[in-house]
Amino acid sequence: MPLTNGFEVLEWIRSHPSLRALRVIVLTSSAELRDVNEAYQLGANSFLVKPTDFGNFITLFKSLHSYWLRTDQTPEIARPEGETSHSISRKGPHL
């Protein structure tokens, strides 16, 4: 991302009450422990190092999808008016 980094985006998401419930998967080329820790400290829900085996990515996605369904998907407060739990808001920081 040319104008910001993923940690800044994650911090921005978590600083907005209407976006805090979004689930965030950090997909990065860094396997550094400090980056993993920072991602989780900033509120990441999962961390995946790329390049990754596609099977590992699908397994992670399925487990997170199952978890999100068990937690009643996205809370109403995190959804802009008129959006359902299955739609995605495109608003966010300028990347």
Side-chain angles (χ1 to χ4, degrees):
M1 293 184 286
L3 301 177
T4 190
N5 67 48
F7 294 132
E8 292 169 340
V9 172
L10 180 55
E11 191 170 29
W12 183 88
I13 289 170
R14 296 301 186 228
S15 72
H16 287 76
S18 64
L19 299 176
R20 283 189 190 135
L22 290 176
R23 278 61 171 203
V24 176
I25 300 171
V26 173
L27 180 61
T28 179
S29 60
S30 174
E32 295 291 325
L33 186 57
R34 71 175 189 277
D35 292 334
V36 175
N37 288 335
E38 184 172 0
Y40 283 116
Q41 287 174 351
L42 291 172
N45 298 94
S46 192
F47 191 95
L48 186 61
V49 178
K50 62 181 178 182
T52 184
D53 176 85
F54 188 70
N56 290 343
F57 180 76
I58 294 299
T59 300
L60 174 64
F61 179 79
K62 285 181 179 178
S63 69
L64 291 173
H65 183 262
S66 175
Y67 170 77
W68 294 337
L69 289 177
R70 286 192 309 269
T71 58
D72 196 31
Q73 298 174 0
T74 306
E76 292 293 330
I77 194 167
R79 290 186 223 148
E81 189 174 327
E83 288 194 15
T84 67
S85 62
H86 300 289
S87 61
I88 299 173
S89 176
R90 303 262 186 245
K91 297 177 183 174
H94 295 48
L95 305 178

